[in-house]
Amino acid sequence: GENVEQHPSTLSVQEGDSAVIKCTYSDSASNYFPWYKQELGKGPQLIIDIRSNVGEKKDQRIAVTLNKTAKHFSLHITETQPEDSAVYFCAASIRAAGNKLTFGGGTRVLVKP
Amino acid sequence: DTAVSQTPKYLVTQMGNDKSIKCEQNLGHDTMYWYKQDSKKFLKIMFSYNNKELIINETVPNRFSPKSPDKAHLNLHINSLELGDSAVYFCASSQEARGNEKLFFGSGTQLSVL
């Protein structure tokens, strides 16, 4: 089955700096890669996603890049703000196999004011 | 209005007891899920139902039995609770029929087995 690894497990940045989280996946058939943000005491919330036919996608301060050959994808947050502090999860799935998302282990991001 | 709501939010119980967690979504979605998040924050899918039909059933002990009375509800019943069942359980939903993989999660049920 699919295996998703996520690094780093914790990330501390100064407000205004950029944050980058990297994930690798094992199943080359995976074609959908979402990122979820989980705030304390809440459920994960989708912040951005990318499909395998696209190399990069941007939404305001967040962007995701995908390298299918290397089976890597990354989340980039620019101009970080204290409200960006949360746990971020990457995930991967094979669309044709239903919506069985395999999540990475999570990255706890702390943005210091 | 809460899109995906699950009850209770906290559940503290003794080993060996039977308990249920309820989940309801008002988004009109056709697919619902149960995920387990352990103490290290690792999220793993347990079950998925599409239009009341079981689609995904991961390697979960058969003490866990999901029940979907209709498209808007997916409950989780757990028999003979064990210490290792302590975790946060998340319900989620999505609209598969439109090819939309976006999951909407509930706020979780923190289960503590003593």
Side-chain angles (χ1 to χ4, degrees), chain B:
Chain B
D1 281 345
T2 304
V4 181
S5 59
Q6 49 183 114
T7 55
K9 187 164 178 63
Y10 301 98
L11 187 51
V12 181
T13 188
Q14 299 287 331
M15 262 195 321
N17 283 350
D18 303 339
K19 289 293 178 186
S20 292
I21 307 172
K22 294 185 177 181
C23 180
E24 176 182 4
Q25 53 96 3
N26 63 5
L27 298 166
H29 287 170
D30 58 8
T31 306
M32 296 185 71
Y33 312 79
W34 279 109
Y35 277 82
K36 179 180 179 180
Q37 186 171 48
D38 63 23
S39 58
K40 295 183 179 179
K41 294 290 188 183
F42 189 68
L43 264 170
K44 186 169 169 57
I45 191 167
M46 300 172 68
F47 302 103
S48 151
Y49 271 75
N50 179 271
N51 284 317
K52 302 194 299 176
E53 181 184 349
L54 183 64
I55 300 297
I56 296 172
N57 184 352
E58 288 297 280
T59 50
V60 178
N62 57 16
R63 298 182 294 103
F64 290 78
S65 53
K67 282 188 173 55
S68 182
D70 55 57
K71 275 187 355 177
H73 296 84
L74 179 62
N75 304 323
L76 183 65
H77 188 76
I78 315 170
N79 288 327
S80 304
L81 278 156
E82 300 177 357
L83 293 176
D85 297 332
S86 295
V88 181
Y89 292 84
F90 286 100
C91 177
S93 71
S94 68
Q95 183 57 14
E96 282 292 294
R98 295 185 197 147
N100 189 345
E101 304 98 326
K102 179 178 178 179
L103 293 185
F104 289 78
F105 283 86
S107 57
T109 295
Q110 185 163 340
L111 172 64
S112 299
V113 182
L114 306 177

